[in-house]
Amino acid sequence: MGRPVRRDGGRATRSSPLLALRQELDQLQAADSPFEGQIAERTAHWVRPRLVAQIAFSEWTRDGMLRHPRYVGLRDDKNPTDVVRVRGEP
């Protein structure tokens, strides 16, 4: 069994899987959004779409956002171009 991971208010610590994810994302930085159309998020940090993450959530909101999203982990068995939005229950 691995060592427990300490989290401080949701921030990543040295042994956190979130820190490892951040390091991977830093290597994929992009200047522009990979999405078509205008994105309302002014403080977004864009990356090239090369990774697939599994995200657990409670439900979709009326405006198409995830409610209470939680990072589960990276999926190495999926290609980013094969990912689609799952309709219905999460």
Side-chain angles (χ1 to χ4, degrees), residues 22-90:
R22 173 60 189 257
Q23 291 169 344
E24 286 196 57
L25 291 174
D26 283 347
Q27 295 175 23
L28 297 172
Q29 284 183 343
D32 300 312
S33 167
F35 302 105
E36 293 180 13
Q38 189 71 10
I39 304 296
E41 197 63 45
R42 294 183 313 188
T43 60
H45 296 265
W46 302 110
V47 297
R48 293 185 309 280
R50 303 287 185 266
L51 303 174
V52 175
Q54 183 167 341
I55 308 296
F57 59 98
S58 58
E59 65 182 343
W60 289 100
T61 64
R62 278 184 252 159
D63 58 348
M65 303 295 282
L66 300 178
R67 188 175 313 280
H68 307 123
R70 299 170 303 287
Y71 172 73
V72 176
L74 289 178
R75 300 279 306 260
D76 59 3
D77 62 328
K78 301 256 183 210
N79 187 316
T81 58
D82 297 333
V83 176
V84 296
R85 177 180 168 174
V86 176
R87 301 285 177 178
E89 293 298 314

Side-chain angles (χ1 to χ4, degrees), residues 5-7 10-27 71 74:
V5 174
R6 179 174 176 234
R7 292 187 50 170
R11 295 180 306 203
T13 60
R14 273 185 222 246
S15 61
S16 169
L18 294 177
L19 181 59
L21 176 62
R22 173 60 189 257
Q23 291 169 344
E24 286 196 57
L25 291 174
D26 283 347
Q27 295 175 23
Y71 172 73
L74 289 178

